[in-house]
Amino acid sequence: MTSELIRYDATRLAELIRTRQVSPVEVVQAHLDRIEAVDPRVNAIVTVADTALATAKAAEAAVMAGGALGPLHGVPFTVKDSIDTAGVPTQRGSPIFAGRTPDADAISVARLKGAGGILLAKTNLPEFSYGIESDNLLSGRTNNPWNLERTPGGSSGGESAAIAAGMSPLGLGTDLAISVRGPAAQTGITSLKATHGRVPMTGIWPRAPRRFWHVGPMARSVRDIALAYSLMAGADGADAFSSSAGPFDGGTGFALTRPLRIGWLVEPGFGPIDAEVAATVRTAADAFEGMGATVAPVRIPALERDFALDVFSRLHVMEMKPAFAEATAGRRDDELYRMAKTMLALPDTSMADYVDAEQAADRLRDGFADYFKRYDLLLTPVQPVPAQKHGLSEVVIAGQKVNALYLMASTVPLNVTGLPGMSIRFGTSRDGMPIGVQLVSTWWAESTLLHAASMLESASAVRDLHPSF
């Protein structure tokens, strides 16, 4: 069974531990062995928590004592290296923060630990969590376990690669514009960016621009996402955005008594989309229709009027540059990698452009509000192409050469508006790379989102595929 443990999802591992079919020590050791075996090629892991085995032994003793166990008791999880972990370095992908070891856990980490989860390791990311490839001067470049010549994405690319390669069953990433959903699509796993404010960002850097940042679970099954989300969500009294969250049901309160109304959208509004990706979205739409949903192709005029990637760029540069300037003040040039240098060199957004972008963001929110009066869900691409080769600054999509930032075009609208979205694999490209689709619900409707994702997972023909290591 030991070799099988790395393929079980977190929910199954918790069940096996709870019923004493396997011990937490065996589970943790199996994942440590997997890290040792495959991470030299993938380079997803930055730091292994030196307390993992000791914590697993304590968890095993608790099982044998017969006391109450949390829903993740004895299950290992990994965490992106921008999220604080008490006693374990959190270095943010930069030599500037090398060796930085927090005294306290981020609230999201603390909540998973409170449910019995065991911190296993920290995972790689771009410098300062900014970038669509997980590469930095401190811990190098992470590779996609499906093809080492491809990227697992960013900024939570180390996390997605670790989960896809069986080094972890469950993890935490952060999302500014694409960063849990894109990497999940590129490596064939599942992730959730909940409504902005659902999960507190306390203990995570950077925080600016706060209104766009999210922390979310990444896993290999929808039920793991639902479990982790239910544990992480809720106000913490420190992150003011989380204090304004709407009614919370832990993702279990789906009670719609009519067929789901689902619109699907490939173009226009997101820029060019690869034909294989577009076909996967249409296939997912057909699957929903086959399961009884009311499905229709749609357009959202607000996305066509205001290109969300442009709106995001004008807003976040103005708000993020001061944080970059503060973090890098007095540092040598050789301590800075591409993203910090690029960000610091960008011209400031003019006040007129900033105000115009704010108004465009409001129009996008209004446009989605209008859409969700008629539909329960929106089905879109996660990104316009499967995982790209390393180091590209431009990509060719449907015959058009565009800046690689266009990879965020269909995910960033949810950051600008705060809408929840999930990434779930539903296809495979001709060259064997995963293709994901994005599910979007209205604000605070994570139950609907998780229910639909579970439906799609049940219809997927590719859910049991794994990279061949």
Side-chain angles (χ1 to χ4, degrees):
M1 177 178 284
T2 300
S3 62
E4 298 175 0
L5 294 177
I6 62 167
R7 293 304 181 195
Y8 291 143
D9 70 357
T11 303
R12 176 61 174 156
L13 290 172
E15 179 186 4
L16 291 171
I17 290 168
R18 187 167 53 251
T19 56
R20 302 185 185 183
Q21 297 179 65
V22 68
S23 79
V25 174
E26 290 177 284
V27 173
V28 168
Q29 188 62 61
H31 286 88
L32 289 173
D33 291 346
R34 182 66 171 175
I35 289 171
E36 183 178 5
V38 307
D39 195 55
R41 286 173 285 170
V42 178
N43 194 37
I45 304 300
V46 176
T47 306
V48 172
D50 57 13
T51 57
L53 276 175
T55 306
K57 291 176 182 177
E60 182 175 27
V63 173
M64 301 310 295
L69 305 177
L72 283 177
H73 187 87
V75 177
F77 68 96
T78 43
V79 175
K80 182 180 180 181
D81 205 31
S82 62
I83 303 173
D84 280 356
T85 45
V88 180
T90 302
Q91 303 173 105
R92 302 168 175 172
S94 171
I96 293 172
F97 297 107
R100 175 186 174 274
T101 304
D103 295 325
D105 288 318
I107 189 65
S108 50
V109 175
R111 288 175 173 175
L112 293 188
K113 285 184 175 180
I118 297 173
L119 177 65
L120 182 71
K122 303 299 290 292
T123 54
N124 204 27
L125 70 169
E127 179 184 42
F128 297 170
S129 290
Y130 259 72
I132 55 174
E133 177 151 13
S134 295
D135 189 12
N136 62 71
L137 290 175
L138 186 64
S139 44
R141 187 186 76 188
T142 300
N143 301 315
N144 193 313
W146 292 94
N147 182 336
L148 300 180
E149 300 303 313
R150 306 286 183 95
T151 176
S155 60
S156 306
E159 194 59 52
S160 70
I163 294 169
M167 291 183 268
S168 170
L170 176 68
L172 295 181
T174 61
D175 192 310
L176 173 69
I178 188 174
S179 300
V180 299
R181 291 158 293 152
Q186 288 167 294
T187 59
I189 66 169
T190 301
S191 67
L192 169 67
K193 183 200 83 64
T195 303
H196 189 253
R198 275 294 199 198
V199 183
M201 285 288 293
T202 306
I204 300 172
W205 187 91
R207 294 291 295 279
R210 286 185 62 187
R211 56 183 161 162
F212 295 157
W213 275 109
H214 304 69
V215 57
M218 307 176 75
R220 291 193 294 269
S221 69
V222 173
R223 66 180 184 174
D224 279 4
I225 296 295
L227 174 58
Y229 161 69
S230 71
L231 297 169
M232 295 163 59
D236 71 341
D239 182 342
F241 280 113
S242 74
S243 299
S244 62
F248 172 64
D249 60 26
T252 60
F254 185 82
L256 200 62
T257 57
R258 53 166 173 74
L260 284 171
R261 302 168 303 181
I262 301 174
W264 63 272
L265 172 63
V266 173
E267 296 180 275
F270 300 138
I273 304 292
D274 175 80
E276 287 187 297
V277 173
T280 301
V281 173
R282 294 188 187 99
T283 301
D286 291 341
F288 274 124
E289 190 168 39
M291 290 183 285
T294 301
V295 179
V298 297
R299 294 178 71 162
I300 300 178
L303 288 171
E304 299 175 41
R305 173 176 176 175
D306 296 298
F307 189 44
L309 183 58
D310 171 65
V311 175
F312 169 82
S313 298
R314 287 186 285 159
L315 291 174
H316 101 279
V317 168
M318 178 75 89
E319 298 180 21
M320 187 60 211
K321 277 186 69 176
F324 271 59
E326 180 181 3
T328 60
R331 313 304 300 210
R332 300 189 313 271
D333 187 69
D334 62 2
E335 294 179 291
L336 307 183
Y337 200 40
R338 291 190 296 260
M339 185 47 66
K341 292 178 180 178
T342 298
M343 179 63 70
L344 293 169
L346 289 172
D348 290 338
T349 304
S350 71
M351 186 53 65
D353 276 351
Y354 186 82
V355 170
D356 180 70
E358 286 279 19
Q359 293 170 342
D362 285 343
R363 290 192 294 267
L364 286 166
R365 281 187 280 268
D366 289 345
F368 277 108
D370 179 70
Y371 171 83
F372 283 114
K373 287 190 298 187
R374 298 181 300 280
Y375 294 91
D376 303 303
L377 286 166
L378 176 66
L379 171 66
T380 78
V382 182
Q383 63 171 45
V385 292
Q388 73 275 15
K389 293 182 179 179
H390 290 292
L392 298 182
S393 59
E394 294 181 324
V395 291
V396 177
I397 306 172
Q400 299 183 52
K401 181 180 289 187
V402 297
N403 188 289
L405 293 178
Y406 267 70
L407 297 176
M408 306 187 298
S410 56
T411 55
V412 77
L414 309 194
N415 298 80
V416 171
T417 61
L419 285 163
M422 284 192 72
S423 174
I424 181 170
R425 182 177 181 178
F426 203 71
T428 304
S429 69
R430 286 186 297 272
D431 56 0
M433 299 305 294
I435 299 176
V437 297
Q438 179 174 242
L439 296 173
V440 187
S441 71
T442 193
W443 297 272
W444 316 117
E446 281 83 1
S447 290
T448 305
L449 195 61
L450 290 161
H451 174 74
S454 182
M455 289 174 62
L456 200 59
E457 182 181 58
S458 70
S460 174
V462 297
R463 62 184 182 275
D464 294 325
L465 295 180
H466 304 288
S468 56
F469 275 100

